[in-house]
Amino acid sequence: MTRSDLVELLTERVGQLTHRDADAAVKTILDAMSDALVRGHRIEIRGFGSFSINRRPPRMGRNPRTGESVHIPERRVPHFKPGKALREAVGAQPVEGADDD
């Protein structure tokens, strides 16, 4: 699902919203979530999951082409942990395209 799919779905489900209003609502929510993560805050949406920031410590890596050691600096990366309701809903669905061979 893309952002535009989400806007279309919101427009269909809420008849009073125009496409422009739905787009603004989705943009506002995503911007607020992004800003919270950038500030290092945790986001929790009950029944869906939580977003947080994980720290990856600095380490030494290797250039695969030359074999030379390369210093990789510390990074902060977003992390999503699904809530129980979402895990159960996804786990209850059959896998598409899976054959019972």
Side-chain angles (χ1 to χ4, degrees), residues 25-90:
V26 170
K27 182 180 183 333
T28 301
I29 291 169
L30 294 177
D31 287 347
M33 292 174 72
S34 296
D35 291 343
L37 289 173
V38 166
R39 290 192 312 265
H41 295 138
R42 184 174 182 271
I43 301 167
E44 182 176 336
I45 303 170
R46 302 279 175 167
F48 182 71
S50 62
F51 297 87
S52 60
I53 297 294
N54 282 354
R55 177 185 165 271
R56 288 193 184 159
R59 61 189 173 91
M60 291 303 291
R62 182 180 72 80
N63 181 332
R65 183 171 292 179
T66 64
E68 178 183 352
S69 291
V70 178
H71 175 73
I72 301 172
E74 176 181 24
R75 295 193 55 164
R76 294 179 355 152
V77 294
H79 174 74
F80 175 71
K81 181 178 179 184
K84 181 180 178 184
L86 180 59
R87 274 194 317 268
E88 289 173 355
V90 170

